Amino acid sequence: MKKRSALVAFALLVVSCSSEPPKSLVTPLTPVTKQPLPSQPEQQHQPVRGVWLATVSRLDWPPVSSVNLSNAENRVKQQQNALTQKLDKLKSLGINTVFFQVKPDGTALWSSRILPWSDMLTGKIGEDPGYDPLQFMLDEAHKRGMKVHAWFNPYRVSVNTKPSTVTELNRTLTLHPASVFVLHRDWIRTASDRFVLDPGIPEARDWITSIVAEVVARYPVDGVQFDDYFYAETPGSTLNDSQTYKRYGQGFASKADWRRHNTQTLIEQVSHTIKQLNPNVEFGVSPAGVWRNLSHDPAGSDTRGAAAYDEAYADTRRWVQQGLLDYIAPQLYWPFSRQAARYDVLAKWWAEVVKPTNTRLYIGIALYKVGEPSKNEPDWTIKGGVPELKNQIDLNESVPQINGTILFRENYLNQPQTQDAVHYLKNRWGS
């Protein structure tokens, strides 16, 4: 392993060829020599007006048409132009923070020594796109006075388990770096009809931590965010971690408690590692909007929705209470009238959770539902969804503990059904 600095050695710890398992990163690390980064002033916490920009399946970016271009130079130009045009539009709408998905699966949208290049950029895993998308995004967003949070899906390796996907992943064996799918096949499980890492394996958690460390050490990101995919299962495609539980689950009252411990450990590791490398980089999580329902826990919200604690094995409230997060951004994707999970009930519940802590609260709202007919949530189509959107933002800006709003997701700003809402946002937030 090349040892350009102690930091790089640390970031690459888990991909070492050594047969020894990586040491836990949860214990305090020895001081590291940071690589030079552009100076970052201490974070000024103005209200966040954010948007998620998804790269998985090219949902928001890069343009699907760019991947089909045979000329690499034209592909780069089209991808970069598309991104700058999006940033210009976001700037005009008053958006000040972009949550940019840099790890959509087991691949990277930066020049990584741990992960192969994402096939989202070229159509082929491991193929150099000819530029560094994360660096380009940082340069262009910062030039416009906007912040960038690197958004990671921690455990997903692929979005499906098709034979063609397996073939593509196996092809990376000769690459440097190769996919975790071939380097650590024993870490791989299937859940939700996808290949995922088993969160119960300590080495897998260390590996994820090293990936975050690499980005924080080498790029002037303003923040790091994990989305809600910790334990991601569906009834028909559950995660078979029975052998892992047998090996590591002794001493836990239940498999559910053990799983929550595994998620807790990852959050602790990543939080401590980020703060050691760069205290100015914010760490946040965007979990499912319901922590627990009141019917299951007296501390829960008066809701009847899928709960992060019970479904994803993520005790998100505890992370806030323990100060492990700089911010939490629950996904409150329901209108005021949705009785099972009322927007105002959940927003105020979360405001009470963060109140005695130093964790900031940003609320994720469902731009993707605006203008879409729905039997259960008709409010999204009344007057183009503007009254519902206005009510949600009004609440966010009137509750002192709510420090911002994040829209899910960027490409819905460009859809016909949201244009009344986009016009409203521009008048409200835009310069």
Side-chain angles (χ1 to χ4, degrees):
M1 180 190 295
K2 294 179 181 177
K3 295 188 178 178
R4 284 181 20 185
S5 71
L7 178 56
V8 174
F10 157 67
L12 295 180
L13 173 67
V14 184
V15 288
S16 163
C17 295
S18 167
S19 60
E20 285 184 22
K23 293 182 176 66
S24 171
L25 302 178
V26 103
T27 52
L29 299 164
T30 53
V32 293
T33 305
K34 301 178 181 69
Q35 291 183 325
L37 287 172
S39 60
Q40 289 171 284
E42 202 163 316
Q43 296 280 18
Q44 298 299 309
H45 300 303
Q46 64 184 81
V48 162
R49 294 168 179 168
V51 68
W52 279 289
L53 199 154
T55 58
V56 65
S57 303
R58 306 184 187 97
L59 291 175
D60 297 326
W61 183 88
V64 176
S65 57
S66 69
V67 182
N68 299 322
L69 295 175
S70 55
N71 183 293
E73 192 176 322
N74 290 342
R75 183 187 67 235
V76 171
K77 192 173 180 182
Q78 187 179 339
Q79 291 182 1
Q80 292 184 341
N81 286 344
L83 201 52
T84 54
Q85 285 170 21
K86 286 180 183 294
L87 289 172
D88 285 340
K89 179 170 184 174
L90 294 174
K91 176 75 174 172
S92 75
L93 293 176
I95 298 293
N96 58 26
T97 310
V98 180
F99 297 83
F100 181 48
Q101 193 173 36
V102 297
K103 183 185 176 293
D105 45 35
T107 63
L109 275 87
W110 72 93
S111 181
S112 175
R113 301 179 180 94
I114 305 171
L115 299 173
W117 279 110
S118 178
D119 52 324
M120 295 301 103
L121 301 163
T122 63
K124 187 178 178 184
I125 298 175
E127 185 172 324
D128 190 328
Y131 71 111
D132 186 322
L134 174 55
Q135 188 61 59
F136 183 80
M137 166 62 98
L138 287 163
D139 291 342
E140 293 298 320
H142 287 166
K143 195 188 298 181
R144 290 164 175 78
M146 300 163 76
K147 291 181 178 179
V148 177
H149 288 227
W151 164 24
F152 296 78
N153 185 300
Y155 290 114
R156 185 163 61 207
V157 175
S158 70
V159 295
N160 60 60
T161 58
K162 294 175 183 175
S164 57
T165 299
V166 174
T167 300
E168 182 78 358
L169 290 166
N170 283 335
R171 271 199 202 114
T172 68
L173 188 56
T174 57
L175 300 179
H176 300 284
S179 170
V180 67
F181 184 84
V182 292
L183 290 178
H184 296 286
R185 195 68 183 85
D186 54 319
W187 297 356
I188 308 296
R189 305 286 180 265
T190 302
S192 299
D193 298 312
R194 296 164 175 170
F195 290 123
V196 298
L197 296 180
D198 186 336
I201 299 174
E203 293 85 356
R205 296 193 297 265
D206 289 346
W207 182 78
I208 293 165
T209 306
S210 76
I211 291 166
V212 176
E214 181 182 56
V215 169
V216 173
R218 289 173 44 203
Y219 294 88
V221 294
D222 300 290
V224 163
Q225 185 182 100
F226 280 178
D227 57 25
D228 56 329
Y229 288 93
F230 295 106
Y231 278 87
E233 300 178 299
T234 55
S237 182
T238 56
L239 179 80
N240 182 5
D241 57 354
S242 54
Q243 288 304 311
T244 318
Y245 179 49
K246 198 172 176 182
R247 181 175 178 186
Y248 296 106
Q250 303 91 343
F252 290 90
S254 66
K255 190 175 187 179
D257 284 348
W258 169 73
R259 282 183 166 189
R260 276 185 286 274
H261 163 79
N262 297 332
T263 313
Q264 173 82 19
T265 302
L266 176 72
I267 296 300
E268 288 176 359
Q269 291 184 194
V270 171
S271 177
H272 297 168
T273 300
I274 290 171
K275 291 308 167 190
Q276 184 167 27
L277 291 173
N278 188 342
N280 290 328
V281 173
E282 297 183 27
F283 177 44
V285 173
S286 175
V290 177
W291 168 69
R292 294 201 91 188
N293 295 295
L294 191 59
S295 58
H296 283 75
D297 193 311
S301 52
D302 188 8
T303 50
R304 298 183 299 282
Y309 184 96
D310 301 291
E311 309 267 342
Y313 303 94
D315 193 349
T316 51
R317 176 173 167 266
R318 184 182 182 195
W319 306 341
V320 172
Q321 293 170 333
Q322 291 181 330
L324 293 169
L325 305 178
D326 293 294
Y327 68 90
I328 193 159
Q331 302 167 22
L332 306 192
Y333 293 164
W334 308 280
F336 277 69
S337 63
R338 189 68 190 267
Q339 291 304 317
R342 283 179 58 107
Y343 183 87
D344 54 334
V345 167
L346 279 163
K348 290 173 182 175
W349 183 89
W350 278 106
E352 287 301 311
V353 170
V354 302
K355 198 173 189 175
T357 75
N358 292 318
T359 303
R360 289 179 297 284
L361 174 60
Y362 312 142
I363 304 288
I365 63 178
L367 180 66
Y368 72 98
K369 289 184 176 180
V370 170
E372 291 288 352
S374 167
K375 184 181 175 183
N376 293 324
E377 300 180 3
D379 304 73
W380 295 114
T381 53
I382 297 170
K383 296 183 180 177
V386 171
E388 180 63 36
L389 184 66
K390 177 184 183 302
N391 287 342
Q392 295 192 6
I393 297 175
D394 282 349
L395 178 65
N396 293 358
E397 295 185 356
S398 67
V399 176
Q401 289 78 28
I402 298 177
N403 307 112
T405 301
I406 311 174
L407 308 172
F408 185 81
R409 54 184 171 74
E410 186 276 334
N411 197 39
Y412 284 94
L413 292 167
N414 309 310
Q415 302 306 312
Q417 73 274 12
T418 63
Q419 291 316 296
D420 288 347
V422 171
H423 183 69
Y424 171 76
L425 285 171
K426 188 166 187 174
N427 286 336
R428 180 165 185 154
W429 284 349
S431 50

